[in-house]
């Protein structure tokens, strides 16, 4: 069963980048307890503090579904609403990896 990879590009509403970080911080506290979540990394652009890339890696479809349907995600949705201007989400599976979680 292949691993599930997610890459998201998020643009915060103008001046709301730090609030996006705060919501992710609360979410990551729960994500760390998810056995099937292998990687969940939040990255911020050096050029624009309102742009983020999120890299996620799950052990399998079941682990991804557990994360997507978690209470933490249900709570994060409404918290993100007022601070996010746009998102782009790419779902796939790893082809080549190196390092932990690969």
């Amino acid at each position: 069963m292949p691993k599930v990879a997610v890459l998201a590009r998020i643009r915060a509403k103008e001046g709301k980048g730090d609030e996006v970080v705060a919501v992710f911080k609360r979410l990551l506290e729960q994500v760390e307890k998810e056995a099937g979540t292998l990687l969940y990394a939040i990255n911020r652009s050096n050029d624009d503090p309102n742009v983020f890339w999120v890299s996620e890696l799950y052990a399998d479809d079941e682990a991804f579904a557990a994360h997507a349907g978690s209470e933490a995600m249900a709570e994060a949705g409404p918290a993100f609403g007022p601070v996010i201007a746009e998102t782009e989400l790419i779902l796939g599976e790893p082809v080549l990896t190196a390092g932990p979680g690969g």
Side-chain angles (χ1 to χ4, degrees):
M1 184 175 296
K3 293 178 182 173
V4 177
V6 178
L7 181 61
R9 181 182 179 277
I10 297 170
R11 175 174 289 284
K13 291 181 179 176
E14 191 60 41
K16 300 289 185 181
D18 289 341
E19 292 178 49
V20 169
V21 172
V23 175
F24 270 121
K25 184 175 181 183
R26 290 191 304 268
L27 178 60
L28 283 176
E29 291 171 358
Q30 297 305 309
V31 167
E32 289 179 340
K33 300 173 188 173
E34 297 173 354
T37 300
L38 306 175
L39 173 71
Y40 205 102
I42 315 304
N43 306 281
R44 192 175 205 171
S45 171
N46 287 336
D47 298 326
D48 185 342
N50 292 314
V51 174
F52 298 85
W53 287 270
V54 181
S55 303
E56 304 171 37
L57 184 62
Y58 300 92
D60 52 30
D61 288 329
E62 205 171 273
F64 174 63
H67 168 73
S70 71
E71 184 177 323
M73 283 299 292
E75 291 173 4
F80 278 127
V83 296
I84 290 181
E86 63 184 66
T87 61
E88 178 183 358
L89 185 69
I90 301 170
L91 257 115
E93 62 183 69
V95 178
L96 299 169
T97 62

